[in-house]
Amino acid sequence: MERQSVEIYEVGPRDGFQNLKEYIPMEDKLHYIGGLIEAGVKHIQITSFVSPRAIPQMMDARELAGECLARYPETDLFSLVPNLFGAKSAWESGIKKTSYVISLSESHNKANINRTREQSLEELWRIREFLPELTVISDIATAFACPFEGVMELDNLLELIRKINLLGINEFVLCDTIGMAHPAQVREYVKAAMREFPGCRFQVHIHDTRNMGIVNTLAAIECGVEGVQTTLGGLGGCPFAPGASGNTSTEDLVYMLNKMGYDTGIDFNRLLALAKEEYASIRGAYSGHHINIGSQCAV
Ligand code: COA
Ligand code: ZN
């Protein structure tokens, strides 16, 4: 069988940890990030530069980023920012690549960032102007559905991508923030985006509310997306999206793709051991989140 490849972007240290009220010591965060790299993970979203009032868990972003970049210069380490303030902090910490989040739904953008989408677009323009060397990836939250507005229109998604693309951004992450998408919708939206913007690269970021995280992610992979975002242990959730549950779990995805002959470069057994360790050490902090760990045996 021809070996296929897809890039796996681990976003657990950001999306997984952001929902935890109890602060995880920076040394522990570094331990998991190091463990992911040892297992073969090549792309990691290590933190977000957001208001500590909005997400207290990320108050160590500068220090953590500095430490990670010093320890792992070969790994693709990136962050998430909601505004120019965050982008400046990221850049000053040595970050060269960051996600910038805008929601397709106006009401979720307000709940998450306290700005209209138009204000978020203006802010993105300012980031491009002030920090032209910072690589910006556009995270489109609620790309498929919104907790407040329901299913999102494909035409509106394409229009938002067009506006962001005009600011010189050509990497996009279509996020199913609350896990309401299904494979047919993922295929339709991903294919349309890839057809409309052939010069751009696309990833998906799928939450696993209805146990469809893995099939939705596979649907996107089979459409030819460049990468997919997942979290160790399936942790995750957006504190500003009612109903948001965990992400698609990295170890489940790696298990499936390795078996299918994809060249993930990630050691499933090491990843599973790390996921179990993480779950055991911080499970007390979780309640009500979807954690799909331990459903499979090591191989
Ligand atoms: N990092 C740290 N502090 C920040 C910041 C950032 N990126 N952006 C703003 N602040 C600080 C300001 O300096 C100000 O501090 P002060 O009160 O001490 O003067 C305070 O936060 C309020 O600033 P303001 O611009 O009015 O922000 P806001 O209250 O309208 O909140 C965001 C807007 C974007 C900062 C906030 O909603 C946020 O951080 N959201 C992120 C949500 C998130 O992470 N969601 C999950 C990931 S998608
Ligand atoms: Zn998410």
Side-chain angles (χ1 to χ4, degrees):
M1 187 189 2
E2 192 192 328
R3 285 186 80 77
Q4 299 158 296
S5 80
V6 61
E7 295 301 312
I8 296 180
Y9 290 77
E10 166 68 41
V11 297
R14 195 277 302 171
D15 205 352
F17 293 165
Q18 76 182 11
N19 235 15
L20 300 179
K21 297 219 165 27
E22 202 172 301
Y23 175 68
I24 303 169
M26 199 178 89
E27 271 312 313
D28 292 357
K29 292 179 181 173
L30 287 167
H31 169 73
Y32 294 117
I33 291 167
L36 287 161
I37 293 169
E38 276 171 29
V41 177
K42 293 182 281 302
H43 312 277
I44 307 177
Q45 189 171 54
I46 52 174
T47 190
S48 54
F49 293 85
V50 296
S51 159
R53 242 178 277 165
I55 313 265
Q57 185 65 251
M58 298 296 152
M59 64 187 172
D60 56 14
R62 274 173 176 266
E63 217 185 330
L64 179 83
E67 193 58 39
C68 285
L69 291 162
R71 285 191 197 185
Y72 310 111
E74 305 299 323
T75 308
D76 175 29
L77 302 173
F78 62 107
S79 67
L80 177 143
V81 303
N83 57 11
L84 177 61
F85 188 109
K88 281 180 176 166
S89 303
W91 183 254
E92 286 161 11
S93 311
I95 290 278
K96 298 281 179 279
K97 183 169 105 174
T98 192
S99 303
Y100 176 78
V101 61
I102 303 183
S103 302
L104 179 55
S105 115
E106 185 78 352
S107 42
H108 185 260
N109 207 61
K110 268 295 222 182
N112 197 32
I113 310 294
N114 196 24
R115 298 287 180 275
T116 64
R117 281 171 303 178
E118 214 42 57
Q119 287 170 324
S120 279
L121 283 168
E122 284 163 16
E123 189 79 353
L124 179 55
W125 184 85
R126 278 191 282 276
I127 293 175
R128 302 293 291 155
E129 191 182 45
F130 280 101
L131 299 166
E133 288 173 54
L134 177 69
T135 299
V136 178
I137 304 163
S138 166
D139 271 21
I140 302 192
T142 64
F144 302 93
C146 164
F148 313 110
E149 297 178 22
V151 175
M152 293 283 103
E153 294 288 332
L154 174 58
D155 284 348
N156 294 343
L157 172 64
L158 298 177
E159 191 189 323
L160 182 60
I161 294 174
R162 189 163 294 113
K163 285 182 181 167
I164 297 170
N165 187 225
L166 286 173
L167 298 172
I169 306 241
N170 53 24
E171 206 167 340
F172 294 88
V173 186
L174 307 186
C175 304
D176 185 17
T177 307
I178 54 161
M180 281 174 71
H182 55 81
Q185 188 194 15
V186 170
R187 250 180 245 119
E188 184 190 359
Y189 284 32
V190 166
K191 276 187 184 165
M194 290 176 66
R195 194 174 50 237
E196 287 285 315
F197 305 95
C200 294
R201 301 203 301 175
F202 288 92
Q203 296 175 24
V204 291
H205 168 122
I206 309 268
H207 284 256
D208 197 24
T209 314
R210 307 249 172 267
N211 272 338
M212 284 197 274
I214 202 141
V215 289
N216 284 341
T217 302
L218 183 61
I221 291 171
E222 291 182 340
C223 291
V225 289
E226 175 266 337
V228 293
Q229 298 194 343
T230 53
T231 65
L232 186 70
L235 304 183
C238 174
F240 306 100
S245 67
N247 289 58
T248 306
S249 105
T250 312
E251 64 276 11
D252 285 353
L253 187 78
V254 166
Y255 179 87
M256 179 183 74
L257 293 178
N258 285 355
K259 290 280 183 199
M260 289 174 76
Y262 278 82
D263 184 11
T264 64
I266 300 174
D267 180 332
F268 169 72
N269 287 330
R270 292 184 88 149
L271 200 63
L272 183 61
L274 188 70
K276 285 183 169 167
E277 185 196 332
E278 182 189 74
Y279 180 49
S281 84
I282 56 181
R283 69 187 304 177
Y286 290 92
S287 61
H289 297 304
H290 175 80
I291 302 198
N292 51 5
I293 210 166
S295 52
Q296 66 291 78
C297 302
V299 286

